[in-house]
Coordinates of all heavy atoms in Angstrom, one line a residue:
M156 N 71.8 48.8 74.4 CA 72.6 49.4 75.5 C 71.7 49.5 76.7 O 70.6 50.0 76.7 CB 73.0 50.8 75.0 CG 74.0 51.4 76.0 SD 74.6 53.0 75.5 CE 75.3 52.8 74.0
T157 N 72.3 49.1 77.8 CA 71.5 49.1 79.1 C 71.5 50.5 79.7 O 72.4 51.3 79.4 CB 72.2 48.1 80.1 OG1 73.5 48.7 80.5 CG2 72.3 46.7 79.6
P158 N 70.6 50.8 80.5 CA 70.5 52.2 81.1 C 71.8 52.5 81.9 O 72.2 53.6 82.0 CB 69.3 52.1 82.0 CG 68.4 51.0 81.4 CD 69.4 50.1 80.8
M159 N 72.3 51.5 82.5 CA 73.5 51.7 83.4 C 74.7 52.1 82.5 O 75.5 53.0 82.8 CB 73.9 50.4 84.1 CG 75.1 50.5 84.9 SD 74.8 51.4 86.4 CE 75.4 50.2 87.6
I160 N 74.9 51.4 81.3 CA 76.0 51.8 80.4 C 75.8 53.2 79.8 O 76.7 54.0 79.7 CB 76.1 50.7 79.3 CG1 76.6 49.4 79.9 CG2 77.1 51.2 78.2 CD1 76.6 48.2 79.0
A161 N 74.5 53.5 79.5 CA 74.2 54.8 78.9 C 74.5 55.9 79.9 O 75.1 56.9 79.6 CB 72.7 54.8 78.4
T162 N 74.1 55.7 81.1 CA 74.4 56.7 82.2 C 75.9 56.9 82.4 O 76.4 58.0 82.5 CB 73.7 56.2 83.5 OG1 72.3 56.0 83.3 CG2 73.9 57.3 84.6
T163 N 76.6 55.8 82.4 CA 78.1 55.8 82.6 C 78.7 56.6 81.5 O 79.6 57.5 81.7 CB 78.7 54.4 82.7 OG1 78.1 53.7 83.8 CG2 80.2 54.5 82.9
L164 N 78.3 56.3 80.2 CA 78.9 57.0 79.1 C 78.5 58.5 79.1 O 79.4 59.3 78.8 CB 78.4 56.4 77.8 CG 79.0 55.0 77.5 CD1 78.3 54.4 76.2 CD2 80.5 55.1 77.2
L165 N 77.3 58.8 79.5 CA 76.9 60.2 79.6 C 77.7 60.9 80.7 O 78.2 62.1 80.5 CB 75.4 60.3 80.0 CG 74.8 61.7 80.0 CD1 74.9 62.3 78.6 CD2 73.3 61.6 80.4
L166 N 78.0 60.3 81.8 CA 78.8 60.9 82.9 C 80.2 61.1 82.4 O 80.8 62.2 82.7 CB 78.7 60.1 84.1 CG 77.4 60.1 84.9 CD1 77.4 59.1 86.0 CD2 77.1 61.5 85.4
L167 N 80.8 60.1 81.7 CA 82.2 60.2 81.2 C 82.3 61.4 80.2 O 83.2 62.1 80.2 CB 82.6 58.9 80.7 CG 83.0 57.8 81.7 CD1 83.2 56.5 80.9 CD2 84.1 58.2 82.5
A168 N 81.3 61.4 79.3 CA 81.3 62.5 78.3 C 81.2 63.9 78.9 O 81.9 64.8 78.5 CB 80.2 62.2 77.3
G169 N 80.4 64.0 80.0 CA 80.3 65.2 80.6 C 81.5 65.6 81.4 O 81.8 66.8 81.5
A170 N 82.3 64.7 81.9 CA 83.5 65.0 82.7 C 84.7 65.3 81.8 O 85.6 66.0 82.2 CB 83.8 63.8 83.5
M171 N 84.7 64.9 80.5 CA 85.8 65.1 79.7 C 86.1 66.6 79.4 O 87.2 67.0 79.6 CB 85.6 64.4 78.3 CG 85.8 62.9 78.5 SD 85.4 62.1 76.9 CE 86.7 60.9 76.9
P172 N 85.1 67.4 79.1 CA 85.4 68.8 78.9 C 85.9 69.5 80.1 O 86.8 70.3 80.1 CB 84.1 69.4 78.4 CG 83.3 68.3 77.9 CD 83.8 67.1 78.7
A173 N 85.4 69.1 81.3 CA 85.9 69.7 82.5 C 87.4 69.4 82.8 O 88.1 70.2 83.2 CB 85.0 69.2 83.7
Q174 N 87.8 68.2 82.5 CA 89.2 67.8 82.6 C 90.1 68.6 81.6 O 91.1 69.0 82.0 CB 89.4 66.3 82.4 CG 88.8 65.5 83.5 CD 88.9 64.0 83.2 OE1 89.2 63.6 82.1 NE2 88.6 63.2 84.2
H175 N 89.6 68.8 80.4 CA 90.3 69.5 79.4 C 90.5 71.0 79.9 O 91.6 71.5 79.8 CB 89.6 69.5 78.1 CG 90.3 70.2 77.0 ND1 91.5 69.9 76.5 CD2 90.0 71.4 76.4 CE1 91.9 70.7 75.6 NE2 90.9 71.7 75.5
V176 N 89.4 71.6 80.4 CA 89.5 73.0 80.8 C 90.5 73.1 82.0 O 91.3 74.0 82.1 CB 88.1 73.5 81.2 CG1 88.2 74.9 81.9 CG2 87.2 73.6 79.9
Q177 N 90.4 72.2 82.9 CA 91.2 72.2 84.1 C 92.7 72.2 83.7 O 93.5 72.8 84.3 CB 90.9 71.0 85.0 CG 91.6 71.0 86.4 CD 91.2 72.2 87.3 OE1 90.3 72.9 87.0 NE2 92.0 72.4 88.3
A178 N 93.0 71.4 82.7 CA 94.4 71.3 82.3 C 95.0 72.6 81.7 O 96.2 72.9 81.8 CB 94.6 70.2 81.3
E179 N 94.1 73.5 81.2 CA 94.6 74.7 80.6 C 94.7 75.8 81.6 O 95.4 76.8 81.3 CB 93.6 75.1 79.5 CG 93.5 74.2 78.3 CD 92.5 74.7 77.3 OE1 91.9 75.8 77.4 OE2 92.3 73.9 76.3
V180 N 94.1 75.7 82.7 CA 94.2 76.8 83.8 C 95.5 76.7 84.5 O 96.0 75.7 84.9 CB 93.0 76.6 84.8 CG1 93.2 77.6 85.9 CG2 91.7 76.7 84.1
T181 N 96.2 77.9 84.5 CA 97.5 77.9 85.3 C 97.2 78.3 86.7 O 96.3 79.1 87.0 CB 98.5 78.9 84.6 OG1 97.9 80.2 84.6 CG2 98.8 78.4 83.2
S182 N 98.0 77.9 87.6 CA 97.9 78.2 89.0 C 98.4 79.6 89.2 O 99.4 80.0 88.7 CB 98.7 77.3 89.9 OG 98.3 76.0 89.7
P183 N 97.6 80.4 90.0 CA 98.1 81.8 90.2 C 99.3 81.8 91.2 O 99.4 80.9 92.0 CB 96.9 82.5 90.9 CG 96.1 81.3 91.5 CD 96.3 80.1 90.6
V184 N 100.1 82.8 91.1 CA 101.2 83.0 92.0 C 100.7 83.4 93.3 O 99.8 84.3 93.4 CB 102.2 84.0 91.4 CG1 103.4 84.2 92.4 CG2 102.7 83.6 90.1
A185 N 101.2 82.8 94.4 CA 100.7 83.2 95.7 C 101.1 84.6 96.0 O 102.2 85.1 95.7 CB 101.4 82.3 96.8
A186 N 100.1 85.3 96.6 CA 100.3 86.7 96.9 C 101.2 86.8 98.2 O 101.2 86.0 99.1 CB 99.0 87.4 97.2
K187 N 102.1 87.8 98.2 CA 102.9 88.1 99.3 C 102.2 89.3 100.0 O 102.1 90.4 99.4 CB 104.3 88.5 98.9 CG 105.1 87.3 98.4 CD 106.6 87.5 98.2 CE 107.0 88.9 97.8 NZ 108.4 89.0 97.6
V188 N 101.9 89.1 101.3 CA 101.2 90.2 102.0 C 102.0 90.5 103.3 O 102.5 89.6 103.9 CB 99.7 89.7 102.4 CG1 99.0 90.7 103.3 CG2 98.9 89.3 101.2
M189 N 102.1 91.8 103.6 CA 102.7 92.2 104.8 C 101.7 93.1 105.5 O 101.1 94.0 105.0 CB 103.9 93.1 104.5 CG 104.5 93.7 105.8 SD 105.8 95.0 105.5 CE 107.0 94.0 104.6
M190 N 101.4 92.7 106.8 CA 100.5 93.5 107.6 C 101.4 94.1 108.8 O 102.2 93.4 109.4 CB 99.4 92.6 108.2 CG 98.5 92.1 107.1 SD 97.1 91.2 107.8 CE 96.2 92.5 108.7
M191 N 101.2 95.3 109.0 CA 102.0 96.0 110.0 C 101.0 97.0 110.7 O 100.3 97.7 110.1 CB 103.1 96.8 109.4 CG 104.1 97.4 110.4 SD 105.4 98.3 109.6 CE 104.8 99.9 109.7
G192 N 101.1 97.0 112.0 CA 100.3 97.9 112.8 C 101.1 98.7 113.8 O 102.2 98.2 114.2
V193 N 100.7 99.9 114.0 CA 101.5 100.7 115.0 C 100.4 101.4 115.9 O 99.2 101.5 115.5 CB 102.3 101.8 114.3 CG1 103.4 101.1 113.4 CG2 101.5 102.7 113.4
F194 N 100.9 102.0 116.9 CA 100.0 102.8 117.8 C 99.7 104.1 117.1 O 100.4 104.5 116.1 CB 100.6 103.0 119.2 CG 101.9 103.7 119.2 CD1 102.0 105.1 119.2 CD2 103.1 103.0 119.1 CE1 103.2 105.7 119.2 CE2 104.3 103.6 119.1 CZ 104.4 105.0 119.2
H195 N 98.7 104.8 117.5 CA 98.4 106.1 117.0 C 99.4 107.2 117.6 O 99.3 107.4 118.8 CB 97.0 106.5 117.2 CG 96.0 105.6 116.5 ND1 95.5 104.5 117.1 CD2 95.5 105.7 115.2 CE1 94.7 103.9 116.2 NE2 94.7 104.6 115.1
F196 N 100.2 107.8 116.8 CA 101.2 108.7 117.3 C 100.6 109.9 117.9 O 101.1 110.5 118.8 CB 102.2 109.1 116.2 CG 103.1 107.9 115.7 CD1 102.7 107.2 114.6 CD2 104.2 107.6 116.4 CE1 103.5 106.2 114.2 CE2 105.0 106.5 116.0 CZ 104.7 105.8 114.9
A197 N 99.5 110.4 117.4 CA 98.9 111.7 117.8 C 97.9 111.6 118.9 O 97.4 112.6 119.3 CB 98.2 112.3 116.6
N198 N 97.6 110.4 119.4 CA 96.6 110.4 120.5 C 97.1 109.4 121.6 O 96.5 108.4 121.9 CB 95.2 110.0 120.0 CG 95.2 108.6 119.5 OD1 96.2 107.9 119.2 ND2 94.0 108.1 119.3
P199 N 98.2 109.8 122.3 CA 98.7 108.9 123.4 C 97.6 108.6 124.4 O 96.8 109.4 124.8 CB 99.8 109.7 123.9 CG 99.7 111.1 123.5 CD 98.9 111.0 122.3
F200 N 97.6 107.4 124.9 CA 96.8 106.8 125.9 C 95.3 106.6 125.5 O 94.5 106.3 126.3 CB 96.9 107.7 127.2 CG 98.3 107.9 127.7 CD1 98.9 109.1 127.6 CD2 99.0 106.8 128.1 CE1 100.2 109.3 128.0 CE2 100.3 106.9 128.6 CZ 100.9 108.2 128.5
R201 N 95.0 106.8 124.2 CA 93.6 106.5 123.8 C 93.5 105.2 123.1 O 92.5 104.7 122.8 CB 93.2 107.6 122.8 CG 92.9 108.9 123.4 CD 92.2 109.9 122.5 NE 92.8 111.2 122.7 CZ 92.7 112.2 121.8 NH1 92.2 112.0 120.7 NH2 93.2 113.3 122.1
D202 N 94.7 104.5 122.8 CA 94.7 103.2 122.2 C 94.4 102.2 123.3 O 94.6 102.4 124.5 CB 96.1 102.9 121.6 CG 96.3 103.7 120.3 OD1 95.4 103.8 119.6 OD2 97.4 104.2 120.2
M203 N 93.9 101.0 122.9 CA 93.7 99.9 123.9 C 94.9 99.5 124.6 O 94.9 99.3 125.8 CB 93.1 98.7 123.2 CG 92.7 97.6 124.1 SD 91.9 96.2 123.3 CE 90.3 96.8 123.1
V204 N 96.0 99.4 123.9 CA 97.3 99.1 124.5 C 98.0 100.5 124.8 O 98.2 101.3 123.9 CB 98.2 98.3 123.5 CG1 99.6 98.1 124.1 CG2 97.5 97.0 123.2
K205 N 98.3 100.7 126.1 CA 98.8 102.0 126.5 C 100.3 102.0 126.3 O 101.0 101.0 126.6 CB 98.5 102.3 128.0 CG 97.0 102.2 128.3 CD 96.2 103.2 127.5 CE 94.8 103.1 127.9 NZ 93.9 103.4 126.8
S206 N 100.9 103.1 125.8 CA 102.3 103.2 125.7 C 102.7 104.6 126.1 O 101.9 105.5 126.0 CB 102.7 102.9 124.2 OG 102.1 103.8 123.3
S207 N 104.0 104.7 126.4 CA 104.4 106.1 126.7 C 104.7 106.9 125.4 O 104.8 106.3 124.3 CB 105.7 106.0 127.5 OG 106.7 105.3 126.8
V208 N 104.7 108.2 125.6 CA 105.0 109.0 124.4 C 106.4 108.9 124.0 O 107.3 108.9 124.8 CB 104.7 110.5 124.7 CG1 105.0 111.4 123.6 CG2 103.2 110.6 125.1
I209 N 106.6 108.7 122.7 CA 108.0 108.5 122.1 C 108.4 109.7 121.3 O 107.6 110.2 120.6 CB 108.0 107.2 121.2 CG1 107.6 106.0 122.0 CG2 109.3 107.1 120.5 CD1 107.4 104.8 121.1
N210 N 109.6 110.1 121.6 CA 110.2 111.2 120.8 C 110.7 110.7 119.5 O 111.8 110.1 119.4 CB 111.3 111.9 121.6 CG 111.9 113.1 120.8 OD1 111.5 113.4 119.7 ND2 112.9 113.7 121.4
L211 N 109.9 110.9 118.4 CA 110.3 110.4 117.1 C 111.4 111.1 116.5 O 112.0 110.6 115.6 CB 109.1 110.4 116.2 CG 107.9 109.5 116.6 CD1 106.7 109.8 115.6 CD2 108.3 108.1 116.5
M212 N 111.7 112.3 117.0 CA 112.9 113.0 116.4 C 114.2 112.7 117.1 O 115.2 113.1 116.6 CB 112.6 114.5 116.6 CG 111.3 115.0 115.9 SD 111.1 114.4 114.2 CE 112.3 115.4 113.4
A213 N 114.2 111.8 118.1 CA 115.4 111.4 118.7 C 116.3 110.7 117.7 O 115.7 109.9 116.8 CB 115.2 110.6 120.0
T214 N 117.6 110.8 117.8 CA 118.5 110.2 116.8 C 118.3 108.7 116.7 O 118.2 108.2 115.5 CB 120.0 110.5 117.2 OG1 120.1 111.9 117.3 CG2 120.9 110.0 116.2
D215 N 118.2 108.0 117.8 CA 118.0 106.5 117.7 C 116.7 106.1 117.1 O 116.6 105.2 116.3 CB 118.2 105.8 119.0 CG 117.3 106.4 120.1 OD1 116.8 107.5 120.0 OD2 117.1 105.6 121.1
N216 N 115.7 106.9 117.4 CA 114.3 106.6 116.8 C 114.3 106.9 115.3 O 113.7 106.2 114.5 CB 113.2 107.3 117.5 CG 113.0 106.8 118.9 OD1 113.2 105.6 119.1 ND2 112.5 107.6 119.8
Q217 N 115.0 108.0 114.9 CA 115.1 108.3 113.5 C 115.9 107.2 112.7 O 115.5 106.9 111.6 CB 115.8 109.7 113.3 CG 114.9 110.9 113.6 CD 113.7 111.0 112.7 OE1 113.9 111.1 111.5 NE2 112.5 110.9 113.2
A218 N 116.9 106.7 113.3 CA 117.7 105.6 112.7 C 116.8 104.4 112.5 O 116.9 103.7 111.5 CB 118.9 105.3 113.5
H219 N 116.0 104.1 113.5 CA 115.1 102.9 113.5 C 114.1 103.2 112.4 O 113.8 102.2 111.6 CB 114.4 102.7 114.8 CG 113.4 101.6 114.8 ND1 113.8 100.3 114.8 CD2 112.1 101.6 114.7 CE1 112.7 99.5 114.8 NE2 111.7 100.3 114.7
L220 N 113.5 104.4 112.3 CA 112.5 104.6 111.2 C 113.2 104.6 109.8 O 112.5 104.1 108.9 CB 111.8 106.0 111.5 CG 110.9 106.0 112.7 CD1 110.4 107.4 113.0 CD2 109.8 105.1 112.5
D221 N 114.4 105.1 109.7 CA 115.1 105.0 108.4 C 115.2 103.5 108.0 O 115.0 103.2 106.8 CB 116.4 105.7 108.4 CG 116.3 107.2 108.4 OD1 115.2 107.7 108.0 OD2 117.3 107.8 108.8
G222 N 115.6 102.7 108.9 CA 115.8 101.3 108.6 C 114.5 100.6 108.3 O 114.4 99.8 107.3
L223 N 113.4 101.0 109.0 CA 112.1 100.4 108.7 C 111.7 100.9 107.3 O 111.1 100.0 106.5 CB 111.1 100.9 109.7 CG 109.7 100.5 109.6 CD1 109.5 99.0 109.6 CD2 108.8 101.2 110.6
A224 N 111.8 102.1 106.9 CA 111.5 102.6 105.6 C 112.2 101.9 104.5 O 111.7 101.5 103.5 CB 111.7 104.1 105.5
T225 N 113.5 101.6 104.8 CA 114.3 100.9 103.8 C 113.8 99.5 103.6 O 113.6 99.0 102.4 CB 115.8 100.8 104.2 OG1 116.2 102.2 104.3 CG2 116.6 100.0 103.2
R226 N 113.4 98.8 104.7 CA 112.9 97.4 104.6 C 111.6 97.4 103.9 O 111.3 96.5 103.1 CB 112.9 96.8 106.0 CG 114.3 96.5 106.5 CD 114.2 95.6 107.8 NE 113.5 96.2 108.9 CZ 113.9 97.1 109.8 NH1 115.2 97.6 109.6 NH2 113.2 97.6 110.7
L227 N 110.7 98.4 104.2 CA 109.4 98.4 103.6 C 109.5 98.7 102.1 O 108.8 98.1 101.3 CB 108.5 99.5 104.2 CG 108.0 99.2 105.6 CD1 107.3 100.4 106.2 CD2 107.1 98.0 105.6
A228 N 110.4 99.6 101.7 CA 110.6 99.8 100.3 C 111.2 98.6 99.5 O 110.8 98.4 98.4 CB 111.6 101.0 100.1
A229 N 112.0 97.8 100.2 CA 112.5 96.6 99.6 C 111.4 95.6 99.3 O 111.6 94.7 98.5 CB 113.6 96.0 100.5
F230 N 110.3 95.6 100.0 CA 109.2 94.7 99.8 C 108.5 95.0 98.5 O 107.8 94.2 98.0 CB 108.3 94.8 101.0 CG 107.2 93.8 101.0 CD1 107.4 92.5 101.4 CD2 105.9 94.2 100.7 CE1 106.4 91.6 101.4 CE2 104.8 93.2 100.7 CZ 105.1 91.9 101.0
H231 N 108.7 96.2 98.0 CA 108.0 96.7 96.7 C 106.5 96.5 96.8 O 105.9 95.8 96.0 CB 108.6 95.9 95.5 CG 110.0 96.1 95.3 ND1 110.6 97.3 94.9 CD2 111.1 95.2 95.5 CE1 111.9 97.2 94.8 NE2 112.2 95.9 95.2
P232 N 105.9 97.3 97.7 CA 104.4 97.1 97.8 C 103.7 97.7 96.6 O 104.1 98.7 96.0 CB 104.1 98.0 99.0 CG 105.2 98.9 99.2 CD 106.4 98.2 98.7
T233 N 102.7 97.0 96.1 CA 101.8 97.5 95.0 C 100.6 98.2 95.6 O 100.1 99.1 94.9 CB 101.4 96.3 94.1 OG1 100.8 95.3 94.9 CG2 102.6 95.7 93.4
D234 N 100.2 97.8 96.7 CA 99.0 98.5 97.4 C 99.4 98.7 98.8 O 100.0 97.8 99.5 CB 97.8 97.6 97.3 CG 97.3 97.5 95.9 OD1 97.0 98.5 95.2 OD2 97.2 96.4 95.4
V235 N 98.9 99.8 99.4 CA 99.2 100.1 100.8 C 97.8 100.6 101.3 O 97.2 101.5 100.8 CB 100.3 101.2 101.0 CG1 100.4 101.6 102.5 CG2 101.6 100.7 100.5
L236 N 97.4 100.1 102.4 CA 96.2 100.5 103.1 C 96.6 101.3 104.3 O 97.4 100.8 105.2 CB 95.3 99.3 103.5 CG 94.1 99.6 104.3 CD1 93.1 100.5 103.5 CD2 93.4 98.4 104.8
L237 N 96.2 102.5 104.4 CA 96.6 103.4 105.6 C 95.3 103.9 106.2 O 94.4 104.5 105.5 CB 97.4 104.5 105.0 CG 97.9 105.5 106.0 CD1 98.9 104.9 107.0 CD2 98.5 106.7 105.3
E238 N 95.2 103.9 107.5 CA 94.1 104.4 108.2 C 94.3 105.9 108.3 O 95.3 106.4 108.8 CB 93.9 103.8 109.6 CG 92.8 104.4 110.4 CD 92.8 103.9 111.8 OE1 93.7 103.2 112.2 OE2 91.8 104.3 112.5
C239 N 93.4 106.7 107.8 CA 93.5 108.2 107.9 C 92.1 108.8 107.7 O 91.1 108.2 107.4 CB 94.4 108.7 106.8 SG 93.8 108.6 105.1
E240 N 92.1 110.1 108.0 CA 90.8 110.8 107.8 C 90.6 110.9 106.3 O 91.5 111.1 105.5 CB 90.9 112.2 108.4 CG 91.1 112.3 109.9 CD 89.9 111.8 110.6 OE1 88.7 111.9 110.1 OE2 90.0 111.2 111.7
P241 N 89.3 110.8 105.9 CA 89.0 110.9 104.4 C 89.6 112.1 103.8 O 90.0 112.1 102.6 CB 87.5 110.8 104.4 CG 87.1 110.1 105.6 CD 88.1 110.5 106.6
L242 N 89.5 113.3 104.5 CA 90.0 114.5 103.9 C 91.5 114.5 103.6 O 92.0 115.3 102.8 CB 89.6 115.7 104.8 CG 88.1 116.0 104.9 CD1 87.9 117.1 105.9 CD2 87.6 116.4 103.5
D243 N 92.3 113.6 104.4 CA 93.7 113.5 104.2 C 94.2 112.5 103.1 O 95.3 112.4 102.9 CB 94.4 113.1 105.5 CG 94.1 114.2 106.6 OD1 94.0 115.4 106.3 OD2 94.1 113.8 107.8
Q244 N 93.2 111.8 102.6 CA 93.6 110.7 101.7 C 94.4 111.2 100.5 O 95.4 110.5 100.1 CB 92.3 110.0 101.2 CG 92.7 108.8 100.3 CD 91.4 108.0 100.0 OE1 90.4 108.1 100.6 NE2 91.6 107.1 99.0
A245 N 94.0 112.3 99.8 CA 94.7 112.7 98.6 C 96.2 113.1 99.0 O 97.1 112.8 98.2 CB 94.0 114.0 98.1
A246 N 96.4 113.7 100.1 CA 97.8 114.1 100.5 C 98.6 112.8 100.7 O 99.8 112.7 100.3 CB 97.8 114.9 101.8
F247 N 98.1 111.8 101.4 CA 98.8 110.6 101.6 C 99.0 109.8 100.3 O 100.1 109.2 100.1 CB 98.1 109.7 102.6 CG 98.3 110.1 104.1 CD1 97.2 110.5 104.8 CD2 99.5 110.0 104.6 CE1 97.4 110.9 106.1 CE2 99.7 110.4 106.0 CZ 98.6 110.8 106.7
Q248 N 98.1 109.8 99.4 CA 98.3 109.2 98.1 C 99.4 109.8 97.4 O 100.2 109.1 96.7 CB 97.0 109.3 97.3 CG 97.1 108.6 95.9 CD 97.2 107.1 96.1 OE1 96.7 106.5 97.0 NE2 98.0 106.5 95.1
K249 N 99.5 111.2 97.4 CA 100.6 111.9 96.7 C 101.9 111.5 97.3 O 102.9 111.2 96.6 CB 100.4 113.4 96.8 CG 101.6 114.1 96.1 CD 101.2 115.5 95.7 CE 102.3 116.3 95.0 NZ 103.5 115.6 94.6
K250 N 102.0 111.4 98.6 CA 103.3 111.0 99.3 C 103.7 109.6 98.9 O 104.9 109.4 98.7 CB 103.1 111.1 100.8 CG 103.1 112.5 101.3 CD 102.9 112.6 102.9 CE 102.8 114.0 103.4 NZ 102.7 114.0 104.8
F251 N 102.7 108.7 98.8 CA 103.0 107.3 98.4 C 103.5 107.3 97.0 O 104.5 106.6 96.7 CB 101.8 106.5 98.6 CG 102.0 105.0 98.1 CD1 102.8 104.2 98.8 CD2 101.4 104.6 96.9 CE1 103.0 102.9 98.3 CE2 101.6 103.3 96.4 CZ 102.4 102.4 97.2
E252 N 102.9 108.0 96.1 CA 103.3 108.0 94.7 C 104.7 108.7 94.5 O 105.5 108.2 93.7 CB 102.3 108.7 93.8 CG 101.0 108.0 93.7 CD 99.9 108.7 93.1 OE1 100.1 109.9 92.7 OE2 98.8 108.2 92.9
D253 N 105.0 109.7 95.3 CA 106.3 110.3 95.3 C 107.4 109.4 95.8 O 108.5 109.4 95.3 CB 106.3 111.6 96.1 CG 105.5 112.7 95.5 OD1 105.1 112.6 94.3 OD2 105.2 113.7 96.2

């Protein structure tokens, strides 16, 4: 057997288990990710993008927030990342779980 044939057989033998393993691996389902950002409600004019103060209790704004909450719930999030003070984390976690 020539060195070239021996090398070729060795390479083929080494590649066979890799092909077998690859065939057994299933493709993961693509993750669905939603990213949403808002201005900081409690510190007007400190954000990079300036906005006027919004009355969140106004009827039309409450209707908009209700619709937003409904659409977010329909997404069925499994994880939510929220920017907050570390001391407030437990309270926000409880609200999310509720």
Side-chain angles (χ1 to χ4, degrees):
M156 184 179 302
T157 67
M159 178 78 130
I160 292 174
T162 303
T163 303
L164 289 174
L165 184 61
L166 288 173
L167 286 173
M171 288 174 140
Q174 289 175 349
H175 178 70
V176 170
Q177 185 67 11
E179 291 178 9
V180 175
T181 60
S182 298
V184 176
K187 292 190 328 184
V188 177
M189 176 190 295
M190 293 183 67
M191 186 178 101
V193 298
F194 60 89
H195 294 93
F196 293 98
N198 66 345
F200 306 112
R201 291 190 217 157
D202 290 318
M203 182 178 281
V204 175
K205 306 300 182 214
S206 61
S207 60
V208 177
I209 296 172
N210 179 3
L211 295 175
M212 301 312 290
T214 304
D215 56 337
N216 288 332
Q217 285 294 301
H219 178 74
L220 291 174
D221 284 341
L223 177 62
T225 299
R226 290 189 303 278
L227 289 173
F230 188 74
H231 300 290
T233 53
D234 293 301
V235 175
L236 176 64
L237 177 70
E238 178 186 6
C239 68
E240 295 292 331
L242 294 174
D243 297 333
Q244 183 173 346
F247 281 115
Q248 182 65 35
K249 177 157 180 14
K250 288 179 182 182
F251 176 70
E252 290 170 0
D253 290 345

